[in-house]
Amino acid sequence: MPFTYPMTIHVAPNKGLRSGALTLGSSIVLGVASTAPAYSLAASLGFIVLVASGTGIIGVQAPAIILLAFIPILFVAIGYQQLNKAEPDCGTTFTWGARAFGPRIGWMGGWGIIVADIVGMSNLAQVAGQYTFDLFGLTDMAQSLWPPLLVGVAFSILVTWICVRGIVFSAVLQKWLLLIEMVMLVIFAVIALVKVYSNNAVESSIMPEWSWFSPAGITSSGLVTGLLIAVFLYWGWDSSSTVNEETENPETVPGKAGVISTLLLLVTFALVAVAAIAFGGVGTSGLGLGNIDNADDVFAALGPSVFGDGLIGRALVSLLIISVLSSATASMITTITPTARTALSMAAFKAIPERFAGIHPRYLTPTAATIWIGVVGTVFYFVLSLVSENVLADSISSVGLMIAFYYGLTGITCAWFYRKRMHSFSQVMLRGVMPGIGGLVLLAGFVLASVQFANPDYGYTTMGDIGGVFVIGIGSLLVGVVLMVIWNFINPSYFRGETLPKADASMLMPE
């Protein structure tokens, strides 16, 4: 039965964030930077190639996976845009889900964002620690435990401080960090393709073909696994919506920024994927992207050969490492920023303790929520690193489940929210069909991937006869259910609908 609002509806007070601080350009930068394009490609492209045919047989259809994953992502981004027009609240999935399906669904949507970002932050901290030593050629230290761990913790503390300092300061820093990585990605792709077409690449190189963008021959299991990896590749563009209350024209700018961000990411990912596959090939040895030894970092494998071993080449390799490091740093900033604002919105509507709604009097940032997210993410990374590198790796793999869950929920929320407010073909498509399809595809991927991840042969760890990736991913969401039940006993006002968000009465009525 659909949730019904009570007769008395409390409007959330002004949260105290700095309104009008971000332009469309800054919001786009935030959306693109949040995905960490350089790092995401370095860490994910090889694995997409490995599962492109779904049976362990190496395929060149990784660009097809990237293109297919883009479609539901774009449709969900359109859903974000439409929902943001109705209510530009920094709680996004939490707020919209609560309005459409009731407080418990909204609460779980907010928890999905928070737990995904906390786990994702540990991944980025690990990258920051390792790449710092790689930059100076200290490979042995980069692969050890304590030096990268301590540097990763230091990065987490620094980034948390940056996020407390304010959204404007963070946005300016992100612009420069994003510029570094995007320039280097374009340089890498152009040089690689020039060498391929001039027959000056390595022996394993192959000429690009349009068939690489065709999913023909990809098995269903390979498609599901590949899509979930690719969804992780795109993850983060929605950060532009979580800062909607700090954006110029909050009803329109954040939604546009989200859609534009996904389009820019598609072009970037497709270009670099084609260039890397063409240059290295997909063989299982040497520089081939089918070589499992190259899967963790395709840029580290291909960079020296693409740029050459001359002085300029070595400088470009160092800049490529810096681009991945800057990518991880920028993404850490844009991981803490939206998570803190989700927690802020939940606290403002009394879905979690109100102390998380505290705003810094000078910087106008959610200080308590930001510090807590930074601390929890850092502790999570520190503890899992000490427990097992394999457990940390499986926790990172499980993020795809959480992403598919809350992205899928948002798409379905848009279609349901607007079900009585679609009066033209364009409204039917933009408010119902596209977001609904995007949401259903991602939720279906969530279910199918959960089945695959439960296989004890998947991932690096097992718990009993169940795969560790499944246990961590589904277990993290179930922890949210437990916390929700506990909070319901402590402060049931939110769950009774007494504090649910409402911007104006017309939002509950047909247009």
Side-chain angles (χ1 to χ4, degrees), residues 63-425:
I65 295 287
I66 291 173
L67 178 60
L68 286 174
F70 167 75
I71 296 173
I73 290 295
L74 176 64
F75 286 0
V76 170
I78 291 172
Y80 269 81
Q81 182 186 39
Q82 295 300 313
L83 287 167
N84 196 77
K85 287 181 179 179
E87 184 168 11
D89 187 279
C90 64
T92 59
T93 304
F94 156 72
T95 310
W96 304 328
R99 182 185 300 286
F101 298 118
R104 288 167 181 80
I105 297 298
W107 201 98
M108 286 304 300
W111 173 254
I113 295 174
I114 291 173
V115 73
D117 286 346
I118 287 174
V119 177
M121 182 180 167
S122 67
N123 181 23
L124 296 167
Q126 183 186 42
V127 172
Q130 290 181 349
Y131 271 76
T132 297
F133 291 99
D134 285 335
L135 178 61
F136 296 100
L138 302 174
T139 306
D140 291 339
M141 294 185 70
Q143 299 304 317
S144 61
L145 173 61
W146 283 104
L149 176 57
L150 294 177
V151 171
V153 168
F155 264 94
S156 298
I157 295 171
L158 174 63
V159 165
T160 301
W161 174 79
I162 291 172
C163 292
V164 170
R165 281 293 307 271
I167 192 68
V168 175
F169 179 68
S170 298
V172 171
L173 181 60
Q174 288 160 25
K175 287 179 182 179
W176 288 105
L177 293 174
L178 182 63
L179 178 63
I180 294 172
E181 62 177 303
M182 296 302 284
V183 167
M184 285 309 304
L185 287 176
V186 171
I187 291 175
F188 171 86
V190 169
I191 293 178
L193 288 173
V194 168
K195 286 191 172 184
V196 169
Y197 280 103
S198 62
N199 295 317
N200 194 29
V202 296
E203 185 177 351
S204 60
S205 65
I206 50 180
M207 284 292 179
E209 298 180 7
W210 286 110
S211 61
W212 293 3
F213 290 94
S214 170
I218 302 177
T219 65
S220 58
S221 60
L223 184 64
V224 171
T225 306
L227 284 176
L228 209 61
I229 296 173
V231 166
F232 176 79
L233 196 68
Y234 286 102
W235 177 45
W237 56 267
D238 54 306
S239 294
S240 58
S241 290
T242 59
V243 295
N244 45 23
E245 296 185 47
E246 299 156 275
T247 307
E248 294 179 354
N249 302 317
E251 292 81 8
T252 57
V253 167
K256 289 181 181 178
V259 173
I260 294 172
S261 296
T262 59
L263 292 169
L264 291 175
L265 289 168
L266 171 65
V267 174
T268 302
F269 292 156
L271 173 64
V272 176
V274 169
I277 293 172
F279 187 90
V282 292
T284 57
S285 61
L287 295 180
L289 270 68
N291 185 345
I292 188 64
D293 294 331
N294 298 334
D296 287 338
D297 191 342
V298 296
F299 292 146
L302 299 179
S305 296
V306 170
F307 295 131
D309 57 3
L311 181 61
I312 295 178
R314 290 195 298 272
L316 288 174
V317 169
S318 296
L319 287 173
L320 190 61
I321 295 174
I322 291 173
S323 73
V324 176
L325 181 59
S326 69
S327 177
T329 304
S331 189
M332 286 177 72
I333 295 172
T334 50
T335 295
I336 295 176
T337 297
T339 314
R341 280 148 182 80
T342 299
L344 167 66
S345 183
M346 294 179 75
F349 295 116
K350 297 180 174 57
I352 60 176
E354 291 184 69
R355 70 173 67 94
F356 292 104
I359 296 291
H360 194 285
R362 177 182 175 187
Y363 303 130
L364 302 183
T365 55
T367 312
T370 300
I371 293 174
W372 270 102
I373 294 297
V375 169
V376 172
T378 302
V379 171
F380 182 86
Y381 163 60
F382 186 84
V383 172
L384 260 63
S385 296
L386 293 181
V387 170
S388 169
E389 184 177 340
N390 289 336
V391 173
L392 180 62
D394 277 356
S395 72
I396 293 167
S397 298
S398 72
V399 173
L401 288 176
M402 306 167 201
I403 299 167
F405 170 74
Y406 84 82
Y407 275 178
L409 176 60
T410 308
I412 297 298
T413 293
C414 182
W416 182 258
F417 177 81
Y418 280 111
R419 67 193 184 281
K420 297 180 180 179
R421 306 174 71 212
M422 296 182 283
H423 309 298
S424 66
F425 177 77

